[in-house]
Amino acid sequence: MARITASVYTSHVPAIGAALDGGKSGEPYWQRVFKGYEFSKKWMQDNRPDVIFLVYNDHATAFSLDMIPTFAIGTAAAFNPADEGWGPRPVPRVIGHPELAAHIAQSVIQQDFDLTIVNKMDVDHGLTVPLSLMCGQPQAWPCPVIPFAVNVVQYPVPSGRRCLNLGKAIRKAVESYDDDLKVQIWGTGGMSHQLQGPRAGLINREFDNAFLDRLIADPESQAAVPHIDYVREAGSEGIELVMWLIARGAMSDLAGGAPPKVVHRFYHVPASNTAVGHLILEN
Ligand code: DHB
Ligand code: FE
């Protein structure tokens, strides 16, 4: 059967992609960010998954305000990097896993979550920057990726509780797939940041680090935190953090297993307007 081997959490700051693509990753400002991912790139090589289930948010790129799915699963054979205004990022095409994606859609919808099935979409920095941070600049991404887009752009957005429970349902779905696949689940976005208005530039180290602590040790209590607390404490775009609860919900301790092992933790300010947070948890 397939199983979730680990979960990975990381911010998705678009300027990180621009720094890599523009050959600026050696600059001291960016070196301080990339230093936190040196372990992770090595870890990815040593713990190569068969599939990555990548929870991210689309930034009105594939889905405009014309149509806003709360949860959307990418079932296509491949996904192109999106043009977000400066041309598509020069990164590999994302190869999907239609069979596992369709199986997860079937199982999770039968567990009463309403997923939108997406057979064609482009993927923006929300998905490609985490891949770049974890995998560097390869000719091809190391394995197929199932994109799972969550609406955190237009209210109402899903609660932390619903996200954690969705992660539990995804875990059951993965474990009911016959093929012997090692699946990593990634939760991306965050940490504290606000991009507009009088509070633009807001960063809250204390909130971010308390979030990391509770995500690791007490995800059920973190799941009870309402949106308004994220927005007040971590800024309007800090709400992206609820997506991390989906990945956390898929870890085995929440289904009666042992607590996950924290193999890596990193926090850094600033990257563009954002605090960068990163965790790797192994089952
Ligand atoms: C920035 C961060 C984001 O999460 C995003 O989607 C766009 C911009 C930033 O820090 O500049
Ligand atoms: Fe974002």
Side-chain angles (χ1 to χ4, degrees), residues 165-182:
N165 287 337
L166 172 58
K168 294 177 188 176
I170 291 167
R171 177 191 168 75
K172 281 192 194 154
V174 167
E175 291 192 343
S176 62
Y177 190 70
D178 281 342
D179 280 4
D180 221 4
L181 297 178
K182 290 188 295 249

Side-chain angles (χ1 to χ4, degrees), residues 11-15 57 59 84 124-126 189-195 237 240 271-275:
S11 307
H12 66 213
V13 192
N57 71 291
H59 299 74
E84 298 181 62
D124 74 8
H125 68 271
M191 298 202 79
S192 57
H193 62 304
Q194 169 144 348
L195 300 178
E237 280 66 51
E240 289 178 345
S272 187
N273 302 290
T274 305

Side-chain angles (χ1 to χ4, degrees), residues 41-254:
K41 283 189 281 188
K42 170 93 176 40
W43 177 86
M44 272 302 280
Q45 281 167 4
D46 297 343
N47 296 273
R48 190 176 157 144
D50 298 308
V51 183
I52 297 167
F53 189 90
L54 206 159
V55 180
Y56 76 108
N57 71 291
D58 178 74
H59 299 74
T61 307
F63 308 120
S64 72
L65 294 183
D66 289 347
M67 200 190 296
I68 306 164
T70 302
F71 299 120
I73 186 165
T75 45
F79 306 88
N80 287 327
D83 185 345
E84 298 181 62
W86 291 273
R89 286 192 64 209
V91 292
R93 242 183 143 202
V94 174
I95 303 304
H97 197 304
E99 294 80 13
L100 179 59
H103 170 84
I104 292 173
Q106 163 81 17
S107 169
V108 168
I109 291 170
Q110 290 296 314
Q111 294 177 70
D112 300 337
F113 284 91
D114 304 317
L115 305 188
T116 299
I117 292 161
V118 185
N119 290 316
K120 186 170 190 283
M121 71 172 166
D122 292 344
V123 286
D124 74 8
H125 68 271
L127 183 130
T128 61
V129 166
L131 283 173
S132 296
L133 281 168
M134 294 299 294
C135 309
Q137 293 172 291
Q139 289 299 312
W141 299 122
C143 67
V145 175
I146 298 175
F148 191 87
V150 179
N151 169 39
V152 289
V153 168
Q154 175 67 52
Y155 284 84
V157 308
S159 68
R161 170 67 52 211
R162 188 154 176 78
C163 288
L164 192 77
N165 287 337
L166 172 58
K168 294 177 188 176
I170 291 167
R171 177 191 168 75
K172 281 192 194 154
V174 167
E175 291 192 343
S176 62
Y177 190 70
D178 281 342
D179 280 4
D180 221 4
L181 297 178
K182 290 188 295 249
V183 179
Q184 285 180 8
I185 183 163
W186 293 13
T188 64
M191 298 202 79
S192 57
H193 62 304
Q194 169 144 348
L195 300 178
Q196 73 287 302
R199 297 204 309 162
L202 178 146
I203 297 287
N204 186 341
R205 292 169 191 261
E206 212 174 300
F207 177 93
D208 288 340
N209 281 288
F211 176 89
L212 293 171
D213 291 342
R214 285 172 79 185
L215 187 80
I216 294 166
D218 194 5
E220 296 282 358
S221 84
Q222 186 58 45
V225 172
H227 293 140
I228 191 68
D229 289 19
Y230 287 88
V231 174
R232 188 194 304 111
E233 300 296 327
S236 51
E237 280 66 51
I239 192 63
E240 289 178 345
L241 283 170
V242 291
M243 296 186 287
W244 294 31
L245 287 163
I246 298 178
R248 185 64 183 86
M251 296 301 282
S252 33
D253 60 327
L254 298 182

